[in-house]
């Protein structure tokens, strides 16, 4: 979020280390259950890194080839739906190692005879996985085992769907008559992911950067959770608020207009959170400034998981986003600053007082 260079490193972690990821950036709740939510941002980060490394004229086809290799699927013959699977594709391996192997291990732990009853391996081909998925018993008598079996099925379906979507990613942003393509009505985002769209976003945002979130004072002294009538917020509440504030200010920073409302994809925010995949269903209007009690967040639904959000002026005025080269710790003068070190850290845990 703030450290985009660190984020790129998390999206390209060597395959042999993927099974050791404790808190994956792309979550089961978002990537698997919520139909590839967060994937658009990940692809944009990869494309922006490619742009950063180009010394000569930028080669768009080369960047698209890198995106295909990262996903792990390339369309050989779109008309006949011939799509080649790259065994070294990062996202393909990520889904297999971080999710499929993890939940298969959980099933084996819960049922000693699982491998005898279900002959599935995380290295099986996608077609074999789909065939074997249909023969998995329900294990209805064991709630935990049944839950993990359900997750295994979700992951297998996701791999199958990712192969299909590799074809959709090749769609042009504009049709031959130069009309913008109709936005997808399915999935999690309010627009269909295409490589053209990813490249457009990447060119707009430019090279990867490191940012800091700076605050004049302790930001939660006068904030309450009105719904639970608790004055002191939990770390998960503070984590959510700080990451929405960061997203809000980053969008304003990259916008040419002085907009009060910004678009926020709730599922992308979830990829940055540590404790709750879906924190209280994003009931942001429960957070209030104490005395007078006024809402911090004002929101309206745009579509799917995307909301338009405005932040109370008295709260947001305490924060500022700066790039790394603009920030001098020695001149911080008592302010608090937050630096995001990746998915394994709260912004709150990462704060420093100078």
């Amino acid at each position: 979020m703030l450290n985009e260079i660190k984020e790129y490193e998390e999206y390209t972690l060597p395959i042999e280390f993927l099974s050791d990821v404790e808190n994956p950036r792309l979550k089961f709740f978002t990537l698997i259950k919520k139909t590839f939510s967060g994937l658009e941002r990940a692809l944009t980060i990869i494309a922006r890194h490619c742009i950063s490394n180009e010394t000569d004229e930028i080669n768009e086809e080369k960047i698209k080839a890198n995106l295909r290799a990262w996903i792990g699927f390339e369309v050989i013959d779109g008309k006949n739906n011939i799509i080649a699977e790259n065994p070294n594709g990062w996202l393909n391996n990520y889904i297999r190692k971080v999710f499929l192997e993890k939940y298969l291990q959980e099933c084996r732990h819960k049922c000693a005879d699982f491998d005898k009853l279900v002959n599935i391996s995380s290295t099986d081909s996608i077609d074999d996985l789909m065939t074997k998925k249909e023969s998995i018993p329900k294990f209805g008598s064991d709630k935990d085992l049944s839950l993990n079996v359900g997750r295994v099925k979700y992951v297998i379906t996701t791999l199958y769907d990712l192969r299909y979507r590799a074809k959709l990613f090749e769609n042009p942003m504009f049709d031959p008559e130069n009309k913008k393509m109709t936005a997808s009505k399915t999935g999690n985002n309010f627009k269909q992911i295409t490589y053209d769209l990813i490249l457009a976003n990447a060119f707009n945002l430019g090279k990867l950067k490191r940012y800091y979130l700076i605050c004049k004072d302790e930001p939660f002294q006068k904030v309450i959770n009105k719904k639970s009538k608790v004055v002191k917020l939990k770390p998960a509440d503070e984590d959510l608020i700080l990451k929405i504030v960061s997203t809000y200010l980053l969008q304003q920073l990259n916008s040419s207009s002085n907009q009060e409302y910004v678009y926020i994809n709730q599922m992308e925010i979830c990829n940055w959170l540590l404790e709750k995949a879906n924190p209280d269903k994003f009931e942001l209007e429960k957070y209030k400034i104490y005395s007078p009690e006024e809402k911090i967040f004002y929101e309206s639904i745009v579509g799917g998981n995307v909301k338009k959000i405005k932040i109370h002026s008295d709260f947001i005025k305490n924060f500022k986003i700066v790039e790394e080269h603009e920030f001098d710790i020695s001149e911080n003068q008592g302010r608090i600053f937050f630096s995001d070190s990746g998915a394994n850290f709260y912004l709150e845990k990462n704060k420093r007082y100078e």
Side-chain angles (χ1 to χ4, degrees), residues 1-4 41 211-215 219-220 238-254 262-264 269 272-273 296-297 309 311 315-316 318-322 337-341 345-348 350:
M1 176 178 289
L2 293 175
N3 189 342
E4 295 173 343
R41 178 180 173 88
Y211 296 98
Y212 291 104
L213 177 67
I214 299 178
C215 185
F220 300 113
E238 295 180 356
D239 189 42
L240 173 62
I241 291 172
L242 284 172
K243 286 170 180 172
I244 289 182
V245 165
S246 296
T247 302
Y248 183 88
L249 290 175
L250 283 170
Q251 281 197 37
Q252 284 196 326
L253 186 68
N254 292 308
V262 302
Y263 293 99
I264 289 183
I269 295 290
W272 299 94
L273 303 178
I296 292 177
F297 299 105
I309 291 182
I311 301 181
F315 186 73
I316 197 66
N318 292 312
F319 295 93
K320 182 170 69 171
I321 286 278
V322 296
F337 67 94
F338 302 86
S339 62
D340 172 34
S341 293
F345 295 90
Y346 290 105
L347 279 179
E348 174 69 8
N350 226 311

Side-chain angles (χ1 to χ4, degrees), residues 102-118:
K102 173 186 175 181
Y103 296 127
L104 284 173
Q105 290 284 18
E106 290 291 333
C107 290
R108 294 175 188 127
H109 177 71
K110 297 289 182 182
C111 176
D113 295 327
F114 183 79
D115 283 333
K116 294 179 182 178
L117 298 169
V118 183

